Amino acid sequence: MAAKELIVLIVRDGGLRSALIARLSLQGESLVTLDADPEDPKVHRIAPAPRILVIDKAVLGERLATVVASNHWRGVIALAEDVEEAEAGDPLCIVPRGQALAGVTEALGRWRLSRDG
């Protein structure tokens, strides 16, 4: 069962974005897709907390650590071209783009399991 967090997708590739929308929707997730800077105050008004960000790592570049540390997001899942396997952590998980569908759902499940005990 899905949790109460809102999943915010900022994924540029239309095919991957559509696949993530389908997968997450079928799992009962509440989500919104945006084409915006994740630290823009408008995003925080559109997407109320608690929220989890799923974003292309390349969109953030050097700002990834800043976004994670901002406390605006319960978690950040960054989709990356430059990693071979997932780098799981809390509140950041880096997932290879080629494993995005499974990696995003696994990260959400892992976080919720550890939080809910």
Side-chain angles (χ1 to χ4, degrees), residues 40-55:
D40 185 330
K42 292 178 194 170
V43 170
H44 307 299
R45 288 193 300 272
I46 292 168
R51 57 189 165 256
I52 293 175
L53 177 63
V54 178
I55 190 166

Side-chain angles (χ1 to χ4, degrees), residues 12-107:
R12 302 256 163 117
D13 178 274
L16 178 57
R17 184 176 55 247
S18 294
L20 285 166
I21 291 168
R23 170 75 57 97
L24 295 170
S25 295
L26 286 172
Q27 293 177 339
E29 298 288 354
S30 298
L31 56 99
V32 62
T33 62
L34 299 173
D35 184 12
D37 184 316
E39 291 303 295
D40 185 330
K42 292 178 194 170
V43 170
H44 307 299
R45 288 193 300 272
I46 292 168
R51 57 189 165 256
I52 293 175
L53 177 63
V54 178
I55 190 166
D56 292 314
K57 184 179 173 200
V59 169
L60 294 175
E62 299 298 319
R63 297 183 314 136
L64 179 60
T66 303
V67 170
V68 172
S70 72
N71 293 322
H72 291 136
W73 304 97
R74 179 167 282 176
V76 176
I77 301 172
L79 307 177
E81 296 283 353
D82 59 348
V83 295
E84 297 283 327
E85 54 187 65
E87 299 173 16
D90 187 16
L92 172 64
C93 183
I94 299 176
V95 173
R97 286 182 65 82
Q99 300 170 16
L101 295 179
V104 168
T105 56
E106 288 170 10

